[in-house]
Amino acid sequence: MSGFFPELYPDETLHSACSRYHARAGYRTREATGRDLLRAERLKVAIDLPSNLNALVASLPPGHRYTVDYFIGRHTLLPFYAPFLPPERVTTLRADMRGSGSGSIHGRIGILTSGIGPEQLRFCPECVRADREKYDDGTYWHRLHQTPGVEVCHLHGIFLQDSGVHYRHRSHHDSFVAAEQAVSLKGMRFVDAQNKNHQVLLKIATDAAWLLGQERLLAESENANRERYIELLFHKGLSTYPGTVSTRLLIESLKAFYSPALLGQIACPIEAKYNWAHRLVHNTRGAQHPLQHLLLMQFLNVTAEDFFCLPGKRQPFGEGPWPCLNPVSDHFGKELIAEYEVSSITQRNGRRPRATFCCDHCEYTYYRVGPDLADEDRRNSHGVITFGHVWDEKLKRAFAESADHKQLLDRFGVKQHTLDKQLIRLGLVAIRETGGCAKVDGRHRRALSPEQEHELREGHRKAWREVLRANPELGRSALRGKAPDHYIWLYQHDLEWLKVHLPERQNPSGPKERIDWPTRDAEMALSVKQEAEKLRHMPGRPVRISETRLAKGTGKLTIISKHGDKLPLTLKALEEVSETVEQYAVRRVKWAAACFRAEGIRPSRGKLQIRATVSHQIVIRPKVEQAMDKALSALDPRDLQKPEASHERSITTDKSR
């Protein structure tokens, strides 16, 4: 048990507090600190998600106020990851952090292979000055500054600086390094208000700070975050309401919104076929890095706080109860409908939800197509299914008292043709009485005499004959467009006569050849070469320049697969610029060597092979083996450090992560 433990500062990492303990106690080795705090000599405290917290709390002096949940919620990065994980997985992670389950912690949250995160512990110069003025121990490692994806301090608008202390691969001597010992102030780089990339990074930092302040924020269900994304994508025109996302349009929109340089800088490129944006909107089971979530939120114009205020399950028609819209009932507008039935309908802009609302008091049933975009949408309907007994009885009474159609239309909230149908249904008028219900001199006339009806019919027939005589070469559809009113009236009231006076149906001749294949072939061949150059010079880890990737990158995969016989230049270009397995491996070797050169490290042959991710079956091929030899010889030992040593992982366990 330790004799003391320093008071933790706001947003301080647990590793920082342990490092201050190490410095204040005067220990020179990590073993001594490990015996005091972790009951084991060779354990280290991870920067982001430490484990063995039960042992740490048990080793603290009597009377302390700290608990494991306090440490996890305020001094680790679990609140940054938790809202994007299934709730049951967060429970498992908390159990792992309490005990010694460190080997699985980073694997459970899906960040082992993300490539996102700082190489060194970082700090903000202004925060350092403020800490030194306020605290006796000087500055400390701030939790937000060590959050993967955070490049700036959101409080001061300054880019973070590296300290020289490695984030994960900390050696024996730098297991516990206090910030006051490692920080060295130098020139500051401020965020440019006119630089879009800088503003994106500032918003990421602001959202990350908000997430870290939510100690118990969890996703309501495994699918809750995707429901929120679908709602936002739908309003942006990138998804149907049921959830079918136009991935191609989404990727194109993201590429237009974020610069490739920025995405490469924060290790979130979207050039690959199955990229992070695709996974966020389709794969609800796999874990995705929070930084990628924050990028998608910013693209959708919401902050993290706004995003998690959205309901985890979409409610296209809001929360109930809903109003009865029977205009002649004494409870019109009162919210008496407790539930509704939903179905989907197809419209030009995608499938949208349709809800049927039925009032139990008057049986008035209407439907509305959603989703609701404003509060006033609740008091609108798109159609009536059944009017109910109250509406019927009041229509009978009103019709008996007055035959003025305009008054009936205004009072009962229907159109003329609907009113006619309901009068017929209720037996209030005969069918013939509404046959001539048309607008004459701006007034609705009730019925036509036989003479008037004969005159009306002959008028429409005469007009139709004149249209036929003036346009003998036109087909049925074109003729209908010339005289729609006459056609519709004859179709509804004189169909047999109309059939006799229609031209013969025209057989479609089929589409004409409109594609200039030689020109398209030349354009696509050029696009293939340009796409190959773009992939070849794309920052970050190389991706293979395969024929399929090139065809997809140009957006012409379907055309090439179906009409390849008409595209000889394109097929030749694909064959010329695509890479074989060996060529791709050689390019990865060169990339890995360049990375080691930039880091000042002289790797062993095995380390170079691992960094280049070249399999044992490929590395023995002559061209690849030659590339390995050339890369190793080009790394001049005089300019580099000693060969990489095996580093101990930065988590609190006696096994490497």
Side-chain angles (χ1 to χ4, degrees):
M1 180 179 293
S2 59
F4 71 95
F5 191 74
E7 184 77 13
L8 272 78
Y9 298 139
D11 199 48
E12 182 179 17
T13 66
L14 193 57
H15 160 266
S16 174
C18 294
S19 298
R20 289 195 292 115
Y21 172 87
H22 178 83
R24 190 181 298 179
Y27 289 139
R28 302 183 62 183
T29 64
R30 71 171 184 185
E31 284 79 9
T33 301
R35 283 193 299 268
D36 281 2
L37 298 180
L38 305 173
R39 299 182 178 181
E41 294 185 352
R42 300 187 64 82
L43 299 187
K44 294 186 294 184
V45 178
I47 306 297
D48 50 0
L49 300 168
S51 57
N52 281 330
L53 297 185
N54 279 337
L56 175 60
V57 171
S59 69
L60 298 182
H64 68 84
R65 63 184 180 87
Y66 297 121
T67 65
V68 171
D69 288 336
Y70 181 90
F71 282 152
I72 291 176
R74 300 191 181 187
H75 301 284
T76 75
L77 294 189
L78 185 60
F80 180 65
Y81 295 99
F84 308 105
L85 298 172
E88 62 275 7
R89 195 179 305 180
V90 177
T91 302
T92 305
L93 283 170
R94 285 183 170 273
D96 290 340
M97 294 174 72
R98 287 177 176 275
S100 58
S102 53
S104 57
I105 290 177
H106 293 81
R108 292 188 197 279
I109 60 177
I111 64 171
L112 285 177
T113 60
S114 67
I116 300 173
E119 294 293 329
Q120 301 178 17
L121 296 183
R122 297 178 300 181
F123 62 92
C124 165
E126 280 300 317
C127 290
V128 170
R129 291 192 178 95
D131 293 342
R132 286 173 174 172
E133 292 177 359
K134 188 173 183 179
Y135 303 111
D136 294 337
D137 285 347
T139 191
Y140 57 92
W141 298 120
H142 288 247
R143 185 172 53 153
L144 177 64
H145 300 165
Q146 321 313 323
T147 303
V150 175
E151 300 291 333
V152 301
C153 175
H154 75 296
L155 295 177
H156 302 108
I158 298 175
F159 277 84
L160 302 179
Q161 298 180 9
D162 291 335
S163 65
V165 180
H166 205 283
Y167 192 96
R168 299 198 183 281
H169 304 295
R170 286 171 285 138
S171 63
H172 175 86
H173 296 290
D174 59 5
S175 295
F176 297 103
V177 179
E180 188 62 33
Q181 299 171 332
V183 165
S184 176
L185 296 181
K186 43 191 173 183
M188 294 181 288
R189 180 187 172 201
F190 289 89
V191 170
D192 184 358
Q194 305 302 320
N195 189 313
K196 182 180 178 182
N197 290 350
H198 288 192
Q199 295 306 308
V200 169
L201 295 176
L202 183 60
K203 290 179 181 178
I204 290 174
T206 303
D207 284 341
W210 182 85
L211 287 171
L212 289 174
Q214 314 306 306
E215 297 183 33
R216 286 289 184 175
L217 179 62
L218 296 175
E220 299 89 328
S221 65
E222 189 177 79
N223 202 43
N225 288 336
R226 184 178 186 273
E227 286 284 300
R228 296 185 175 101
Y229 284 133
I230 295 301
E231 179 76 14
L232 295 170
L233 289 167
F234 171 76
H235 292 296
K236 207 172 180 66
L238 297 172
S239 168
T240 63
Y241 194 83
T244 302
V245 179
S246 177
T247 309
R248 180 181 61 83
L249 290 178
L250 173 60
I251 299 302
E252 291 176 357
S253 301
L254 285 169
K255 288 181 178 179
F257 190 82
Y258 294 115
S259 70
L262 173 67
L263 296 178
Q265 175 187 346
I266 57 180
C268 293
I270 51 178
E271 301 299 330
K273 170 188 173 182
Y274 191 63
N275 52 56
W276 56 266
H278 187 282
R279 291 191 293 270
L280 280 180
V281 297
H282 288 94
N283 184 5
T284 60
R285 297 180 64 94
Q288 291 295 121
H289 201 284
L291 174 59
Q292 296 162 353
H293 285 275
L294 296 182
L295 286 172
L296 185 56
M297 290 179 199
Q298 194 170 151
F299 165 74
L300 295 172
N301 198 31
V302 292
T303 65
E305 183 176 3
D306 294 337
F307 179 79
F308 286 103
C309 286
L310 296 174
K313 184 177 181 181
R314 284 177 293 162
Q315 298 175 316
F317 301 97
E319 297 182 355
W322 294 268
C324 174
L325 300 183
N326 185 348
V328 295
S329 68
D330 54 2
H331 54 266
F332 171 70
K334 294 183 179 179
E335 296 182 339
L336 303 175
I337 303 176
E339 58 185 16
Y340 60 83
E341 295 182 1
V342 176
S343 61
S344 293
I345 63 173
T346 301
Q347 293 186 340
R348 290 182 180 179
N349 55 347
R351 294 174 62 201
R352 300 166 70 96
R354 166 177 158 160
T356 301
F357 301 85
C358 179
C359 177
D360 294 334
H361 296 77
C362 64
E363 300 176 356
Y364 187 88
T365 305
Y366 65 94
Y367 71 88
R368 187 165 79 250
V369 178
D372 289 351
L373 302 179
D375 292 339
E376 55 267 23
D377 291 343
R378 294 171 60 89
R379 298 188 174 274
N380 296 327
S381 71
H382 289 93
V384 179
I385 299 176
T386 58
F387 290 93
H389 65 277
V390 173
W391 194 91
D392 289 350
E393 291 300 324
K394 293 202 174 185
L395 177 59
K396 292 178 183 179
R397 191 178 309 130
F399 186 79
E401 295 173 355
S402 172
D404 189 323
H405 277 222
K406 190 176 186 309
Q407 292 182 3
L408 295 177
L409 294 174
D410 293 341
R411 180 178 177 186
F412 288 85
V414 293
K415 295 182 178 180
Q416 180 65 51
H417 66 89
T418 303
L419 179 61
D420 289 341
K421 289 173 61 176
Q422 300 310 313
L423 292 175
I424 295 170
R425 178 178 64 85
L426 297 174
L428 300 178
V429 296
I431 295 178
R432 180 165 181 170
E433 286 184 302
T434 60
C437 189
K439 285 190 177 181
V440 178
D441 297 330
R443 294 172 295 175
H444 290 283
R445 57 183 201 169
R446 289 297 310 272
L448 294 176
S449 66
E451 293 79 9
Q452 291 172 326
E453 193 167 339
H454 174 75
E455 182 180 350
L456 182 61
R457 181 178 291 104
E458 288 301 322
H460 284 295
R461 287 180 177 182
K462 180 180 178 181
W464 184 252
R465 290 193 193 98
E466 291 176 357
V467 173
L468 290 173
R469 190 179 307 110
N471 304 279
E473 75 287 352
L474 297 184
R476 298 186 176 195
S477 297
L479 287 171
R480 176 178 178 176
K482 292 286 185 181
D485 293 340
H486 301 302
Y487 180 90
I488 292 172
W489 193 96
L490 291 170
Y491 187 88
Q492 293 178 344
H493 303 96
D494 204 359
L495 182 58
E496 295 302 324
W497 184 91
L498 179 63
K499 289 180 179 178
V500 175
H501 293 80
L502 284 175
E504 294 293 331
R505 292 186 181 276
Q506 298 178 354
N507 295 323
S509 58
K512 297 180 180 180
E513 184 72 17
R514 298 189 304 272
I515 300 176
D516 184 357
W517 286 107
T519 302
R520 172 173 285 195
D521 188 20
E523 294 173 352
M524 290 175 59
L526 179 61
S527 298
V528 166
K529 294 177 182 179
Q530 292 174 345
E531 181 69 16
E533 283 300 307
K534 185 177 75 171
L535 293 175
R536 197 179 303 278
H537 296 93
M538 187 172 64
R541 178 176 290 276
V543 296
R544 183 180 176 186
I545 307 174
S546 64
E547 292 185 4
T548 302
R549 183 181 293 276
L550 290 170
K552 288 186 176 180
T554 59
K556 308 297 184 183
L557 177 61
T558 302
I559 296 176
I560 294 173
S561 60
K562 290 185 177 181
H563 303 287
D565 56 325
K566 300 176 183 177
L567 304 168
L569 296 179
T570 303
L571 296 181
K572 183 179 179 181
L574 286 171
E575 184 178 356
E576 290 176 352
V577 300
S578 60
E579 288 181 319
T580 64
V581 174
E582 289 184 2
Q583 291 171 335
Y584 181 40
V586 169
R587 198 153 60 91
R588 295 203 307 276
V589 169
K590 293 179 180 178
W591 169 81
C595 292
F596 282 119
R597 185 179 295 106
E599 296 168 1
I601 298 175
R602 177 165 56 89
S604 64
R605 191 181 190 87
K607 292 291 184 182
L608 179 60
Q609 179 183 347
I610 293 173
R611 187 74 168 265
T613 61
V614 180
S615 67
H616 296 299
Q617 291 81 6
I618 302 299
V619 77
I620 60 176
R621 296 188 181 183
K623 292 183 179 179
V624 182
E625 191 172 10
Q626 183 181 359
M628 293 280 291
D629 295 337
K630 186 176 180 180
L632 289 170
S633 63
L635 293 170
D636 190 348
R638 293 173 297 178
D639 300 331
L640 304 174
Q641 300 173 358
K642 295 181 180 180
E644 278 189 313
S646 59
H647 298 291
E648 293 176 277
R649 306 291 182 179
S650 59
I651 51 178
T652 58
T653 180
D654 56 351
K655 296 181 179 180
S656 63
R657 176 172 57 78

